[in-house]
Amino acid sequence: SANGDDVDIGFGTLLKDLNMGLMATLGAAKGRWTVFGDLIYLNVSDDIKSGDDIKLDVRLKGWVSTFGVAYSFAETDRSRFNLYGGGRYLWLDARLKLKIEDQGLPNLSGSGDKWDAVIGLRGKTDLNEKWYLTYVADIGTGQSKSTWQALAAISYRFRKLDAVVGYRYLNWNFDNDSGVFDDLNFHGPFAGVKVRF
């Protein structure tokens, strides 16, 4: 929210109030090196009513992109571990409209973006020929006081693609005088497909 309150968006809220959402990841590997980038887009809205007198209209849009270069520093028959460095970009726009007894009050709005450098670990472990685990953890700073993420997923290999389900948590802590947002996190389960080329 604007001017200092925490923003905490859970999966239940996103699923109920989501207008549009997208999460996509691209990667290319050669030898021990991988370049990657992922993108999250969210468009969430909600109308909150208290009796017949008070109504709050909330609109939230946001982009998150994490990108970087990874190097495989350890590998076994079943597992591969990568150290990576890169960046994270956040853009967020929030708009609030409050009505009390049909009297419109001035709209509250805030938007802003942040760039941060991140460093982290990515890993993959084969459970058998079909099932495998992937996991990611990173931390960073820059225009934000701090940012971090944790992701864990399990995947099943088909002939041309993999089915993926997992859980992801993204967090930012901002300076008190950042002017737009204080603390922010997105978290919840996800599902999708991974296409191999």
Side-chain angles (χ1 to χ4, degrees):
S1 66
N3 297 325
D5 289 335
D6 289 355
V7 178
D8 186 336
I9 302 176
F11 179 71
T13 300
L14 289 178
L15 189 63
K16 179 170 65 74
D17 302 326
L18 185 67
N19 296 327
M20 181 178 178
L22 170 71
M23 186 168 73
T25 300
L26 290 174
K30 184 174 182 180
R32 289 181 173 268
W33 293 94
T34 303
V35 293
F36 69 92
D38 72 53
L39 179 70
I40 300 173
Y41 172 72
L42 294 172
N43 185 333
V44 181
S45 64
D46 195 11
D47 294 320
I48 302 167
K49 294 182 179 179
S50 178
D52 297 326
D53 299 331
I54 301 175
K55 179 181 178 183
L56 178 63
D57 183 17
V58 181
R59 300 285 182 267
L60 180 67
K61 295 180 181 179
W63 290 94
V64 181
S65 178
T66 303
F67 49 88
V69 177
Y71 178 76
S72 176
F73 67 91
E75 190 169 352
T76 68
D77 291 339
R78 298 176 57 188
S79 298
R80 183 180 176 116
F81 303 97
N82 298 274
L83 177 68
Y84 70 89
R88 177 167 300 132
Y89 175 72
L90 166 70
W91 175 83
L92 202 61
D93 180 79
R95 302 184 182 277
L96 292 82
K97 185 176 182 181
L98 180 64
K99 287 186 177 181
I100 299 177
E101 296 180 347
D102 294 327
Q103 299 296 315
L105 299 176
N107 294 349
L108 300 174
S109 64
S111 64
D113 62 347
K114 301 289 183 183
W115 286 94
D116 296 293
V118 296
I119 185 169
L121 292 169
R122 298 162 63 91
K124 176 184 171 186
T125 298
D126 290 324
L127 301 176
N128 54 42
E129 291 184 357
K130 292 292 186 179
W131 293 94
Y132 64 92
L133 302 173
T134 53
Y135 28 90
V136 177
D138 67 38
I139 190 167
T141 188
Q143 291 182 323
S144 302
K145 188 175 180 181
S146 67
T147 181
W148 62 271
Q149 79 161 325
L151 180 151
I154 187 168
S155 303
Y156 183 85
R157 294 183 179 96
F158 291 95
R159 180 174 296 180
K160 298 277 187 172
L161 54 82
D162 302 347
V164 185
V165 294
Y167 192 93
R168 188 173 192 177
Y169 197 107
L170 276 158
N171 186 83
W172 290 262
N173 294 309
F174 304 121
D175 293 329
N176 291 333
D177 59 354
S178 62
V180 180
F181 299 104
D182 190 1
D183 296 338
L184 169 70
N185 60 69
F186 301 117
H187 53 90
F190 64 87
V193 295
K194 182 186 296 183
V195 181
R196 299 186 302 272
F197 296 98

